[in-house]
């Protein structure tokens, strides 16, 4: 198959990539095991784009059980070098309310007991990758340029706090994340970003704000229907952005 211009990993509420044409499904077994589901490769704006649903296409895999290594390896085995991660998140700071799209430039890892390196198995080379800037600078700039070109409103920068899940956070936990400098909170940002760096993949995050985090915004309890409605609204411009990014 031809080169893949861009690989996209979809989060909660994003189980397929709209406008992807001539799609072929690839069931791949990697050196790290099986990914969350098939990798679907098709054409978007004349460019080959791969899509993988992080939680599985039926949202059957919780955040702490995702085989992040296999997901990324499957994309790499198909020839992808650039990975756009779509992460559904909660908003903490004022600029990151529901239905906002953000492209963070920093993250803090609060997860635990996840396999977080490709150096896990005995006998593998130990890597100490530079992770001061966890998202690939050039890919972030390309995302921002694609957003400008397509008229998609996008918050430039911010810190993503990755929590263990699958439960949502307490108000006290969110207060701590705010004190630590987090603007967004999600459950899948790590170890995915670190693994991408170890695998020499260009990687950046497009965060889809589905709701206010606990104690932020209104105090009303949000329903799953509202979350999915917010994700759908915030995601409306993503196909055009992805198409522009794939061409760039």
């Amino acid at each position: 198959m031809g080169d893949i211009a861009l690989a996209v990993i979809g989060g909660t509420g994003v189980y397929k990539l709209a406008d992807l044409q001539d799609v072929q499904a690839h069931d791949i077994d990697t050196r790290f095991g099986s990914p969350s589901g098939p990798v679907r490769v098709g054409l978007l704006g004349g460019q080959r784009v791969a899509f993988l649903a992080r939680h599985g296409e039926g949202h059957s895999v919780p955040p702490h059980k995702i085989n992040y290594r296999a997901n990324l390896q499957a994309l790499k085995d198909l020839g992808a070098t650039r990975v756009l991660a779509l992460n559904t998140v909660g908003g903490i700071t004022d600029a990151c309310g529901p239905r906002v799209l953000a492209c963070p430039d920093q993250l803090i890892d609060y997860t635990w007991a996840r396999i977080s390196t490709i150096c896990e198995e005995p006998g593998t080379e130990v890597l100490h990758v530079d992770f001061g800037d966890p998202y690939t600078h050039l890919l972030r700039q390309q995302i921002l340029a694609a957003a400008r070109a397509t008229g998609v409103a996008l918050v430039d920068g911010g810190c993503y706090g990755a929590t263990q899940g699958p439960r949502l956070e307490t108000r006290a936990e969110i207060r701590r994340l705010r004190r630590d400098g987090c603007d967004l909170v999600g459950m899948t940002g790590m170890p995915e970003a670190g693994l991408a760096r170890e695998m020499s993949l260009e990687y950046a995050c497009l965060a889809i704000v589905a709701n206010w985090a606990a104690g932020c915004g209104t105090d009303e309890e949000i329903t799953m229907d509202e979350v999915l409605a917010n994700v759908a609204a915030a995601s409306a411009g993503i196909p055009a952005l992805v198409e522009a990014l794939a061409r760039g």
Side-chain angles (χ1 to χ4, degrees), residues 164-184:
Q164 181 69 0
R167 68 166 177 83
L168 297 177
E169 302 75 28
T170 67
R171 292 171 185 268
E173 287 170 333
I174 294 300
R175 287 197 298 269
R176 180 183 70 160
L177 266 64
R178 186 190 289 271
R179 289 194 300 270
D180 287 350
C182 295
D183 302 280
L184 307 159

Side-chain angles (χ1 to χ4, degrees), residues 91-111:
I92 297 175
T93 50
D94 291 345
C96 295
R99 304 195 174 195
V100 162
L101 285 178
C103 189
D105 58 357
Q106 277 297 326
L107 65 78
I108 300 176
D109 187 8
Y110 300 94
T111 66

Side-chain angles (χ1 to χ4, degrees), residues 58-76:
H59 198 90
S60 58
V61 188
H64 65 295
K65 290 291 189 179
I66 293 169
N67 190 337
Y68 294 94
R69 299 194 301 176
N71 285 353
L72 290 167
Q73 189 65 51
L75 297 174
K76 185 171 183 176

Side-chain angles (χ1 to χ4, degrees), residues 197-240:
R197 183 62 53 86
E198 287 187 343
M199 293 182 185
S200 299
L201 291 166
E202 294 184 43
Y203 179 93
C205 166
L206 192 58
I208 304 165
V209 184
N211 56 275
W212 286 113
C216 305
T218 68
D219 289 330
E220 295 179 8
E221 184 175 348
I222 191 167
T223 68
M224 195 60 189
D225 286 343
E226 290 175 295
V227 166
L228 294 178
N230 288 341
V231 170
S235 302
I238 287 179

Side-chain angles (χ1 to χ4, degrees), residues 64-155:
H64 65 295
K65 290 291 189 179
I66 293 169
N67 190 337
Y68 294 94
R69 299 194 301 176
N71 285 353
L72 290 167
Q73 189 65 51
L75 297 174
K76 185 171 183 176
D77 287 349
L78 284 171
T81 59
R82 296 192 300 164
V83 178
L84 173 65
L86 304 180
N87 296 87
T88 302
V89 301
I92 297 175
T93 50
D94 291 345
C96 295
R99 304 195 174 195
V100 162
L101 285 178
C103 189
D105 58 357
Q106 277 297 326
L107 65 78
I108 300 176
D109 187 8
Y110 300 94
T111 66
W112 48 271
R114 301 182 182 188
I115 298 178
S116 58
T117 177
I118 63 173
C119 311
E120 185 77 8
E121 286 71 25
T124 55
E125 179 186 1
V126 177
L127 301 174
H128 299 285
V129 294
D130 184 348
F131 204 54
D133 294 305
Y135 303 111
T136 304
H137 175 74
L138 177 58
L139 183 54
R140 281 196 72 255
Q141 295 308 307
Q142 291 170 341
I143 292 169
L144 296 172
R148 288 192 297 269
T150 54
V152 175
L154 189 61
V155 173

